[in-house]
Each structure stands twice: as C-alpha cells, then as structure tokens.
Amino acid sequence: MTEREKMEQGAWYDPGADRELREARRRAADLAFVYNQTQPSDRDRQGELLRELFGHVGDHASVLAPLQVDYGYNVSLGDRSFINHGAYLMDCAPITIGNDVFIGPNLGAYTAQHPLVAEERNLGVERALPITIEDDCWLGGDVKIMPGVTIGRGCVIGAGSIVTRDVPAGHLAVGAPCRVVRAITDEDRIGL
C-alpha cells in the first residue's frame, strides 16, 4: 500500500517518504502562492485558481487571501460559502465545508494527528481524520478545528473556540475547548 493510500484510509503514513505526496504539496503551495498574489479585484482569475486548487468549489463561493493548504484537492467548498482572510486548511484528509457557511478570519482546520510517544513521533508519521462543517454554519474569527470533528448544520461557533469534539446540529458552542452552550431557537430571531 502506498503512503497516499494509507493517508486516504486514515492509517498511519509517512508524508515525507512518498514522492507523489511531496509533489502534491509543492503544487498546492505554488497554487496558493499565486492565489495569494492575485489582485482581489481579479475575481475571475481567483475563481480559476481556487477551482484548480480545491477538489470542489460551489457557485458563488469566496475565499479571501491569504490562504494556505497542504494538498488542496481534499477541500470541498459549498455554494455561497465564505472564508475570510488567513485560513489554513490542513487537508491531509477531506475537509468538507457545506453550503451557506460563513467563516471568520484565521480559521485553522487541522486533519493531521501525530503520535503521542516521542520516539514514534520522531519517525515522521502521521494520520489524518476528516473535518466536516455542514450547511448554514457560522464560525467566528480564530476558530481551530481538530481532526475528525463534524460541526452540525446551522451551528454557530464562537470566536477563539478550539473545537475538539463534534457539535450537534443547531447549537451555539464556544470556548477552549469548545463546549455546547445551548440550542439555537426561534427566540434568537432578529425579525427580518
């Protein structure tokens, strides 16, 4: 089994030992560099680059530079979703962002895990677990999402939160570590 196949299956793998993975990371870094240097007013070119970099880009999706990714092809961005400046999408496993998701500045979405035991960690191996942000979510600035987390549909994650566990659909969650505060209800409507 190749290192990429191990990575895709969520098994422990060595990202430095696989030429294909090294080349994919270089390609993604180059595309992200060009994306980040493209004038913000050149929306057509930004869209072309984003579609070349990501596995899927939905209609009317938007990402503000700077953006960093590991591979890019493991990122799926839904329709009308928005990612603010400074996102790092560590997409060693799939990062799926649904439709109508609003993400504040400095998102960190980290799919990679490293061994806890130093001797094993020093071997350079890691494994990657997917991250899912379902439709209609809002993530405040400086949110960090850990490997394997799913944020359910319609959630709001408060600024500065570190999301270490799944958040059920329709809830407000905040903190470091992030904790569910309460359900979002009709009482939260502003009357529009």
Side-chain angles (χ1 to χ4, degrees):
M1 182 179 319
T2 68
E3 297 303 304
R4 181 174 178 166
E5 290 169 335
K6 291 177 191 175
M7 179 181 86
E8 290 171 350
Q9 293 180 13
W12 294 102
Y13 70 100
D14 184 347
D18 188 287
R19 182 173 177 256
E20 180 184 7
L21 291 179
R22 288 193 309 270
E23 288 299 319
R25 286 192 305 274
R26 276 197 280 273
R27 175 188 175 275
D30 286 348
L31 282 170
F33 177 85
V34 175
Y35 183 84
N36 292 334
Q37 302 307 312
T38 302
Q39 289 183 319
S41 60
D42 194 350
R43 305 290 293 157
D44 290 340
R45 180 67 176 138
Q46 283 184 326
E48 291 169 9
L49 289 164
L50 208 56
R51 285 187 295 281
E52 190 174 347
L53 182 60
F54 285 0
H56 171 77
V57 177
D59 293 337
H60 308 290
S62 179
V63 179
L64 300 183
L67 165 70
Q68 297 299 319
V69 296
D70 278 11
Y71 298 97
Y73 58 72
N74 280 326
V75 176
S76 176
L77 181 62
D79 296 341
R80 299 169 304 280
S81 288
F82 171 76
I83 301 176
N84 212 319
H85 300 284
Y88 175 34
L89 306 175
M90 182 187 285
D91 66 319
C92 307
I95 296 176
T96 304
I97 300 169
N99 299 323
D100 301 299
V101 173
F102 296 93
I103 297 176
N106 303 314
L107 170 71
Y110 309 123
T111 64
Q113 289 183 324
H114 302 281
L116 296 179
V117 176
E119 294 85 26
E120 294 174 335
R121 188 171 52 251
N122 293 340
L123 296 173
V125 298
E126 61 185 42
R127 71 175 176 173
L129 303 173
I131 291 173
T132 302
I133 304 168
E134 295 181 350
D135 296 347
D136 302 315
C137 289
W138 171 29
L139 281 61
D142 297 297
V143 168
K144 309 305 177 203
I145 306 170
M146 299 301 112
V149 166
T150 295
I151 298 173
R153 182 181 184 133
C155 284
V156 175
I157 308 297
S161 293
I162 301 175
V163 188
T164 60
R165 295 190 175 127
D166 292 352
V167 179
H171 282 79
L172 169 66
V174 300
C178 191
R179 302 263 189 249
V180 172
V181 173
R182 63 179 175 82
I184 298 169
T185 68
D186 283 340
E187 295 294 315
D188 294 303
R189 292 188 181 279
I190 60 171
L192 297 179

